[in-house]
Amino acid sequence: MGHRQTLLACAAMVIATGCMVGPDYKRPDGFLPSDYRGGDAIPTTANAPVYGDLAWWTVFTDPDLQELIRTALKQNYDVRIAVARILQAQSQVTIARSPIFPTVDGSATGPYNAYTGSERPLPDSTFQPQAGFSVAWELDIWGRFRRGTEAAQAQLLASEDFKYGVIATLVADVGNAYLTLRALDLTLEISRRTVASRKQSLELVNARLEGGVAGILDVRQAETLLYTATKTIPELQRQIEQQENFISVLLGQNPGPIKRGRPLEQQITAPALPPGLPTELLTRRPDIRAAEQQLVAANAQIGVAKSLLYPQVTISGFAGVGSSTISGANFGPYGVFSALPAITLPIFNAGRLRANVDFNEATAQEAAVRYQQTLRQALREVSDSLIDVRKRQEFREQQELLVNALADASQVATMRYEGGVSSYLEVLDTERQLFEAERDLVLARRDESASVVQLYKALGGGWQEESATVTGSAGSPPRVASASAQ
């Protein structure tokens, strides 16, 4: 027992004084601007929260849309795959950490030997049963296993951030798909209303033809207006059903009808909330957090590779009991104890270990560049979204003015035609322009709302889970593990 205690004490002392080779992680130097391009163009209210910090159910206020999003978060296949990846990463952390501790196995043997046909004096038979525990332990003097655990924990965090990124993308996709569906519904409503109006106009022109006031050309032009509107109805119905099928798949369901809620005009509008600071994207956007954790993992792998250049110290041993039976004579039972410390020093490997270090250093360089690329792409997405929200709002306002002007012109043209002042060609032209302008206004409203959704996603919103506790000033998600090098 004294030998084992001394051995374990020496091993503990070696581990306590051991070091971890390889670089400790440091976040790359910041190159973030002080503000977003176009960020000052959004009107804000005093002490308002950052738009990206809002939970998705406060941004998407339509109860039916909220229910669709909740269903998607439960059943969407991409989310379920992301959850499975987290479970895989959690297992990898345990696997990577396990070599830090000794491996203990139980074993039992009972060799039996019988001897015959020899002139020399030999025992008739021997039977030597033995049972006990074997121990194997590689001392983590250079931190190879600790660096490996650090890398595995970073990969776990990256998988969690990947899941949050999938959730944010899914929320935005469901929101945009729903906006498109409501836009198609509104366009179909406009088409049907236009068809009904043009049928009345055709009846009026036929009556004027019978009264000798209008000619057959007026009838044909009225029919042209009518059929121009009627042909859009089956096309819109096709798009609506296909859009419902698309949303159904996002929800993880078979294709089917989608429940509607508020009309397009009552959906998402431009926020009067500040976009926040670019530095907040570091903790709010899941893709940036995931890219940084990949960099943490790659940095830790350098330490794993460098530790292989140094000696490896292992301790193995066995402790148990046994006995012997030789020619019917019993000996024992007796205790068995053995210990085998060993040291392995790499001498020649044709540059393999050094090349492994170079490979991991290059991998870390690539991860650092990808992290910077992800961050700059995020800045671009926010700036593009800020510009998009502002300009699409201006476009929608001008389109509304155009629709109002064309509606008035259509009424005047109809009155002039009925009064015999102008031909039906004037009515045809203004009606056609009005119909196109009304449909374009629907698209403008949809695009304006979609730009707000894109801004919300670009600012790092949409990943919040209703059952999760949001912590941190920037709304960073809860963590189940952390990289020790940070």
Side-chain angles (χ1 to χ4, degrees):
M1 184 64 69
H3 293 292
R4 282 177 286 180
Q5 291 177 344
T6 302
L7 197 59
L8 290 175
C10 293
M13 183 179 63
V14 170
I15 294 177
T17 58
C19 62
M20 289 200 300
V21 298
D24 291 333
Y25 173 72
K26 290 180 61 177
R27 177 178 288 172
D29 294 336
F31 50 87
L32 295 172
S34 59
D35 200 358
Y36 301 109
R37 182 183 182 185
D40 55 348
I42 292 184
T44 60
T45 57
N47 300 322
V50 175
Y51 191 55
D53 285 340
L54 299 180
W56 63 260
W57 53 92
T58 63
V59 175
F60 302 94
T61 56
D62 187 338
D64 291 283
L65 175 56
Q66 291 178 353
E67 188 60 32
L68 292 177
I69 294 176
R70 291 189 182 98
T71 301
L73 294 177
K74 293 177 182 178
Q75 302 179 177
N76 180 266
Y77 290 104
D78 290 334
V79 175
R80 291 157 65 181
I81 291 173
V83 171
R85 288 186 178 182
I86 292 177
L87 298 177
Q88 295 171 17
Q90 289 174 341
S91 300
Q92 288 298 326
V93 171
T94 302
I95 294 173
R97 188 176 57 233
S98 62
I100 296 178
F101 306 97
T103 300
V104 180
D105 297 311
S107 62
T109 59
Y112 173 78
N113 298 302
Y115 305 93
T116 60
S118 176
E119 296 180 355
R120 296 179 180 180
L122 291 175
D124 296 334
S125 64
T126 61
F127 177 56
Q128 297 177 305
Q130 194 175 86
F133 299 92
S134 59
V135 179
W137 191 13
E138 180 178 343
L139 304 184
D140 194 24
I141 299 175
W142 314 111
R144 175 158 60 100
F145 302 137
R146 283 170 286 170
R147 289 296 190 191
T149 302
E150 179 184 330
Q153 288 175 336
Q155 291 290 355
L156 171 59
L157 296 180
S159 66
E160 290 180 332
D161 290 326
F162 175 79
K163 173 198 168 187
Y164 290 124
V166 170
I167 290 176
T169 300
L170 178 61
V171 169
D173 287 347
V174 174
N176 283 324
Y178 185 76
L179 291 173
T180 300
L181 180 61
R182 298 306 284 138
L184 290 171
D185 292 336
L186 181 56
T187 305
L188 180 60
E189 180 183 337
I190 292 173
S191 296
R192 286 172 172 169
R193 185 174 66 243
T194 302
V195 166
S197 175
R198 291 180 178 180
K199 283 182 178 179
Q200 294 178 356
S201 297
L202 180 58
E203 293 174 358
L204 174 62
V205 173
N206 282 325
R208 289 171 63 85
L209 176 64
E210 294 175 359
V213 180
I216 189 63
L217 181 59
D218 294 343
V219 175
R220 295 296 176 256
Q221 290 175 336
E223 290 174 344
T224 300
L225 278 179
L226 174 61
Y227 301 143
T228 300
T230 55
K231 75 173 184 178
T232 63
I233 292 179
E235 174 63 17
L236 288 170
Q237 291 172 335
R238 176 189 67 82
Q239 295 180 26
I240 287 173
E241 291 191 21
Q242 290 180 346
Q243 188 68 14
E244 287 181 323
N245 294 342
F246 173 69
I247 295 177
S248 297
V249 173
L250 285 179
L251 304 184
Q253 298 176 346
N254 293 328
I258 298 299
K259 185 179 179 181
R260 269 60 156 191
R262 298 175 183 174
L264 181 64
E265 299 89 339
Q266 300 178 16
Q267 294 294 332
I268 304 171
T269 57
L273 299 174
L277 299 176
T279 53
E280 294 170 344
L281 293 180
L282 298 176
T283 55
R284 191 188 297 119
R285 281 191 52 139
D287 58 336
I288 296 178
R289 296 198 307 267
E292 184 174 14
Q293 292 303 325
Q294 293 289 352
L295 176 56
V296 173
N299 185 80
Q301 288 295 344
I302 297 176
V304 174
K306 285 187 174 181
S307 67
L308 296 175
L309 299 173
Y310 298 91
Q312 300 176 20
V313 178
T314 60
I315 299 175
S316 60
F318 179 83
V321 294
S323 65
S324 299
T325 302
I326 302 176
S327 297
N330 296 325
F331 302 91
Y334 50 82
V336 181
F337 174 79
S338 64
L340 179 63
I343 183 170
T344 303
L345 176 65
I347 297 177
F348 177 76
N349 48 65
R352 174 174 55 85
L353 297 182
R354 185 69 252 181
N356 186 40
V357 174
D358 295 339
F359 171 80
N360 283 278
E361 287 178 344
T363 301
Q365 293 175 7
E366 178 187 354
V369 173
R370 288 188 180 276
Y371 170 71
Q372 296 174 347
Q373 181 186 39
T374 302
L375 188 53
R376 282 213 164 95
Q377 181 64 26
L379 293 174
R380 178 202 166 186
E381 290 178 1
V382 174
S383 297
D384 286 351
S385 298
L386 290 169
I387 297 171
D388 210 33
V389 169
R390 184 174 73 253
K391 293 304 178 181
R392 289 195 181 278
Q393 183 178 16
E394 295 176 2
F395 178 83
R396 186 261 306 163
E397 292 172 349
Q398 296 302 314
Q399 188 67 26
E400 287 177 344
L401 295 176
L402 176 61
V403 169
N404 293 335
L406 288 172
D408 186 63
S410 177
Q411 292 180 358
V412 173
T414 301
M415 293 173 59
R416 284 168 57 84
Y417 171 72
E418 293 176 353
V421 179
S422 63
S423 67
Y424 198 78
L425 182 61
E426 186 176 299
V427 177
L428 174 67
D429 185 56
T430 55
E431 282 284 338
R432 184 178 64 252
Q433 293 185 54
L434 176 60
F435 184 50
E436 293 177 356
E438 287 181 325
R439 298 175 65 187
D440 289 342
L441 178 57
V442 174
L443 296 178
R445 288 171 174 166
R446 181 203 65 185
D447 293 342
E448 181 184 3
S449 296
S451 68
V452 177
V453 174
Q454 180 58 35
L455 173 62
Y456 176 62
K457 178 186 175 185
L459 289 173
W463 55 262
Q464 296 89 343
E465 295 175 302
E466 291 178 285
S467 59
T469 301
V470 180
T471 60
S473 59
S476 58
R479 295 294 199 184
V480 301
S482 59
S484 60
Q486 292 191 63

